[in-house]
Structures are given as C-alpha cells and as structure tokens.
Amino acid sequence: MSGIEIGRLLRSGTTGFVVGCRVNQLDAPSLGALVRVPLTEGYQVYGLITDIHIEDDSLVRQLITAEDVPEEVLRDNRENRNVPVEIGVLTLGYEEGGRISHLLPPRPPLSLDAIYLCTPEEVVAFTSAGRFGYLRHILQDEDKPVEELLAAHLRQAKAAQEDAGNEDWFEAALSELITLMRDEYQQLMTILSVAGEI
C-alpha cells in the first residue's frame, strides 16, 4: 500500500479523530477526501476529512496587526515555522484481515499514528465494499456540512470508480442516498442538486 502521509494523530475516538500537520503538508488533504490509518498488520481505520482548521499563534497575531508584512516574512511563517494545522476526520469503517467493513472500528487509532490519503485504488476498494453502509456515518454527522462533504466525497469516489471501469457506481450511490434519506426530503433535494453538478 502507498499513499501520501498527511500528518499524525493528535487524539481519537471510535467515531472520529484529529490529525495534526504542518502548513506545508496542506497540498494534499482536502475536504471530503478518504484517508486511512494503518495500525497493525492487516488492520486499518478509514475516515473522511470533515474539517481543516488552521490555528493561530502569538506571532501570527502580531503579524496580522502589522501594516506591510514583507512577502519573505509571510513565506517564512508558512514554510519554515510549525503553524499548527488540525484536520478533523469522521470514521467510516475499517479493514481487518483483508476484509473491509463499514462499521465503526473495534478500537481507534493511537496518538502519533501516521495518516495517509487513500490512493484511487484504495478509494475504489473501500467504496465498493458492501452496500454503501459508510454513507450513514456521513449523514448522521449533523455538526458538519453534510451536503458539501457528500459532494466532495462523491466527486473523488466517482472519478476513482470511473477510472477503474465502474461506470454504474455513481448512480448506485445516488440510489442508496435516496433510500437512506427518504424521510429527509429537503436535505435529499439539496444533496441531489449538488450531486447533479458532479
């Protein structure tokens, strides 16, 4: 397995975790991207990036009040200093012994475990396993912008699935969303509207 390491785990629970990284690692992760945390041989946890939060520090607070901040100071602050960045991840499932499950994992990742962006092949494997059971985890996270998360995730997964020759995946995913959200008409219409732009 490969993939780009985007940071290390700060804190976790079974439903989600927070990753810490440097600003210069922010090229790769994006809202709605699928990530994985390999733990032991044959066991890893999958999640969806739900938030990217850049913390301030005392130097940044001083710089924002300055009138003309030189470009080299801005670049130095972003590239050389350890500006704290936190990435929130919603747990979607896990893999154990080569079998992917869209249930919450039996145990969460540990502090300082490395987090990787999933490759297109890993996105295909995770999103093809089972019957879209992981979608319910996204829909239940009412504190997050569900419509935007689903749109970002579906865009990534659709591209990976189509590259793998799975042309019907996107329609099947939308069909499952309609089934899951049949009692949430307004939210469903918003999601379908956003999905129509994918």
Side-chain angles (χ1 to χ4, degrees):
M1 287 189 197
S2 58
I4 300 170
E5 181 179 330
I6 60 169
R8 296 215 171 250
L9 196 103
L10 290 172
R11 56 189 172 275
S12 69
T14 52
T15 59
F17 44 94
V18 176
V19 178
C21 73
R22 297 183 309 274
V23 168
N24 63 4
Q25 291 176 289
L26 269 181
D27 295 349
S30 60
L31 187 72
L34 194 64
V35 296
R36 63 182 179 83
V37 185
L39 300 177
T40 59
E41 189 63 37
Y43 178 69
Q44 59 185 342
V45 174
Y46 288 90
L48 188 77
I49 294 178
T50 60
D51 186 44
I52 300 175
H53 187 79
I54 300 173
E55 296 286 335
D56 62 359
D57 62 14
S58 58
L59 179 59
V60 170
R61 287 177 179 268
Q62 290 175 12
L63 289 175
I64 62 170
T65 60
E67 288 195 21
D68 291 316
V69 181
E71 183 62 33
E72 59 270 7
V73 172
L74 291 174
R75 195 169 44 254
D76 179 63
N77 187 62
R78 292 177 180 161
E79 295 172 6
N80 298 328
R81 296 187 69 245
N82 286 325
V83 177
V85 178
E86 292 188 359
I87 300 173
V89 178
L90 173 69
T91 302
L92 297 182
Y94 66 97
E95 179 179 356
E96 191 167 27
R99 182 175 177 270
I100 293 174
S101 172
H102 293 159
L103 299 172
L104 292 177
R107 57 194 178 281
L110 300 174
S111 297
L112 299 179
D113 280 337
I115 286 75
Y116 296 87
L117 277 179
C118 288
T119 64
E121 295 78 19
E122 290 165 341
V123 170
V124 168
F126 183 81
T127 58
S128 296
R131 290 273 315 138
F132 301 101
Y134 70 94
L135 291 175
R136 75 181 183 286
H137 297 299
I138 301 171
L139 294 172
Q140 291 170 353
D141 194 0
E142 296 174 359
D143 296 333
K144 302 291 186 245
V146 172
E147 296 87 352
E148 297 297 325
L149 288 173
L150 279 169
H153 165 69
L154 290 173
R155 186 176 297 114
Q156 177 194 28
K158 179 183 180 190
Q161 291 284 357
E162 287 179 352
D163 287 347
N166 303 326
E167 302 293 332
D168 298 334
W169 182 89
F170 185 64
E171 292 302 320
L174 289 181
S175 177
E176 184 64 19
L177 280 172
I178 291 169
T179 300
L180 289 171
M181 302 184 69
R182 62 185 170 270
D183 296 330
E184 304 289 336
Y185 182 77
Q186 285 302 112
Q187 189 179 25
L188 175 60
M189 289 299 102
T190 302
I191 289 171
L192 292 178
S193 172
V194 172
E197 300 174 13
I198 296 174

